[in-house]
Every structure is written in C-alpha cells, then in structure tokens.
C-alpha cells in the first residue's frame, strides 16, 4: 500500500513465475526498483535498483525521511500493474487505478462480514488480487467514513 | 479524491494503537504501519524516482 500511496506504481510479481516471465514483466513495465526476498540473479539486470528484503529494505527505511503520502496523487492515477497468469498467451499487465483497487476493497467489505475484533488469516499470496484485496479491505475497512462508501454498492443482496 | 494514502491516514488517526498486521512474532499497529509506509515513500523517492515510476515486489507474504 505504501508504494501507490507514494504516487508510485506497484508491480506485484508471481513468486511461482519462471525467470523468463519475471524478466518479461520487469521489462514490459519498465520497472525501476525491485524489492525482493531472494537471489535476484539476472533479474537485477532489468532494473536500476535491487533492494533485498529484509536487510537492505530495513536499512533503507531506517535511513529514510518520512514523506507525506498522497501528495499530488489522484484516484484515477495508476496504482498497480498486475501481471496475469498468462494462460492464454503472454502475461499481460492489468492496469488498476487507486479507484479500481479501493472499489474492489469496498466490494469485499460489503460481501464479507467483518467485525472490528476479527483477525484475518492471509492464506492467498499477496501478489495476487485475491490476497491483496482482502488485506486492503481489512486495513481500510473500519476506518473509512461511511459517507465514502459508494452508494451504488448494495450492503447485502440475495439471489 | 480517494487514494491509498487515505485509509492509511484514517486508520492511524482513528485507531493508532490497534493491531494492523501480525507477521510471526511481530505485531504492527496502525500508527506504525502509516509511519513505515511514509518511510518507504521517503526511501524510494530518495532513489530519484518520479511519480508513476514502477516498483516491483517479488517476495513471500510478510509485513514488509
């Protein structure tokens, strides 16, 4: 969430993709920085900066100055590029805006009953929309003023 | 206007000490989550990134 909040575009990569697919995604998206928790190997050649998780990542945060989030960021701005599984050809980077992802989270909140003291066990991988959407919804969930909820989404429905 | 900055800010203001993320033995509250996101923004922008630049993540699930 921090990457798009900073006005940057997050590219969550599938940890089960092969190097060829990962290289394609990095080059296709023109990614500048790769945050990675394993040996980057030849992926390092595709980007300007590789930051290893956890050590280099934690060091970067320790040395960083806090920056205000959301400055000059609009809800129609691109927030993330999600590369598809590529079952019908080359993987495609699906362009999702802040509004797209937050609308998804609202939808989750209206369809998955939650209480303030609930704990959500994240089983799905966070690089996948199914994993990230639930987390975004849970972090956003109870704190969003209800007046922000889109009126077009029903609170409950049945077939 | 509604971006990812908003839920992080609301949560840190309305429930700063409530647990946001549990990862193994580490527990992070909403104020700390907001702080770490601001530090991440500072760290990434200090690399010379401009608005709209791409940042990829290849990692197993975790608080980072």
């Amino acid at each position: 969430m921090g990457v798009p909040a900073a006005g940057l575009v997050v590219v969550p990569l599938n940890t089960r993709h092969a190097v060829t697919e990962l290289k394609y995604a990095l080059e296709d998206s023109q990614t500048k920085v790769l945050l990675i928790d394993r040996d980057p190997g030849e992926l390092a050649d595709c980007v300007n900066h590789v930051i290893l998780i956890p050590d280099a990542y934690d060091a970067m945060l320790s040395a960083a100055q806090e920056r205000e989030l959301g400055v000059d960021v609009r809800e129609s701005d691109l927030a993330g590029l999600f590369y598809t599984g590529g079952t019908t050809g080359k993987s495609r980077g699906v362009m999702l805006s802040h509004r797209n992802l937050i609308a998804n989270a609202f939808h989750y909140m209206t369809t998955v009953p939650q209480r303030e003291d609930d704990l959500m066990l994240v089983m799905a991988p966070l690089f996948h929309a199914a994993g990230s959407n639930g987390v975004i919804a849970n972090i956003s969930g109870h704190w969003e003023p209800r007046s922000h909820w889109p009126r077009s989404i029903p609170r409950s429905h049945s077939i | 206007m509604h971006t990812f900055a908003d839920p992080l800010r609301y949560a840190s203001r309305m429930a700063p000490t409530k647990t946001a993320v549990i990862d193994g033995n580490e527990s992070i509250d909403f104020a700390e989550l907001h702080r770490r996101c601001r530090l991440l923004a500072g760290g990434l922008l200090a690399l010379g990134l401009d608005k709209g630049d791409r940042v990829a993540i290849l990692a197993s699930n975790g608080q980072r």
Side-chain angles (χ1 to χ4, degrees):
Chain A
M1 288 181 82
V3 172
L8 304 167
V9 176
V10 67
V11 184
L13 296 174
N14 190 325
T15 52
R16 288 191 172 180
H17 269 174
V19 173
T20 311
E21 294 163 314
L22 295 170
K23 281 178 76 172
Y24 173 77
L26 290 174
E27 283 163 2
D28 183 64
S29 62
Q30 299 180 300
T31 287
K32 299 238 173 105
V33 179
L34 173 62
L35 308 173
I36 187 166
D37 71 352
R38 58 204 70 191
D39 178 7
E42 51 190 294
L43 298 180
D45 300 332
C46 304
V47 296
N48 298 355
H49 303 276
V50 174
I51 297 166
L52 285 173
I53 297 171
D55 292 356
Y57 180 90
D58 288 348
M60 176 174 77
L61 262 58
S62 302
Q65 295 209 319
E66 291 183 38
R67 288 282 289 255
E68 192 59 39
L69 300 176
V71 179
D72 293 329
V73 184
R74 303 168 65 88
E75 63 182 19
S76 57
D77 284 346
L78 186 63
L81 279 169
F82 293 76
Y83 279 82
T84 60
T87 44
T88 56
K90 267 195 172 171
S91 177
R92 286 170 289 255
V94 179
M95 301 171 71
L96 295 177
S97 66
H98 286 259
R99 183 159 43 193
N100 291 151
L101 289 164
I102 290 172
N104 252 355
F106 276 128
H107 188 248
Y108 183 100
M109 283 147 57
T110 58
T111 50
V112 181
Q114 302 170 66
R115 294 190 339 185
E116 198 178 304
D117 53 356
D118 283 346
L119 285 176
M120 177 200 180
L121 178 62
V122 185
M123 299 289 285
L126 287 172
F127 64 75
H128 195 279
S132 56
N133 186 36
V135 171
I136 294 166
N138 274 270
I139 287 176
S140 311
H142 306 288
W143 322 116
E144 285 285 344
R146 292 293 148 130
S147 58
H148 286 179
W149 285 44
R151 296 211 175 135
S152 57
I153 297 180
R155 295 300 157 86
S156 65
H157 66 102
S158 58
I159 297 171
Chain B
M1 192 72 146
H2 210 157
T3 72
F4 274 104
D6 297 310
L8 291 167
R9 192 160 43 219
Y10 293 138
S12 71
R13 194 179 297 155
M14 295 177 68
T17 58
K18 191 174 187 322
T19 300
V21 181
I22 300 170
D23 179 13
N25 293 326
E26 192 173 14
S27 187
I28 297 170
D29 64 28
F30 280 102
E32 177 64 10
L33 181 69
H34 189 216
R35 192 181 76 88
R36 290 192 193 186
C37 286
R38 293 203 310 274
L39 286 170
L40 176 63
L44 290 172
L45 294 171
L47 294 174
L49 297 189
D50 292 320
K51 189 186 167 194
D53 279 345
R54 277 58 159 149
V55 176
I57 304 173
L58 180 63
S60 301
N61 287 6
Q63 57 86 3
R64 292 175 182 86

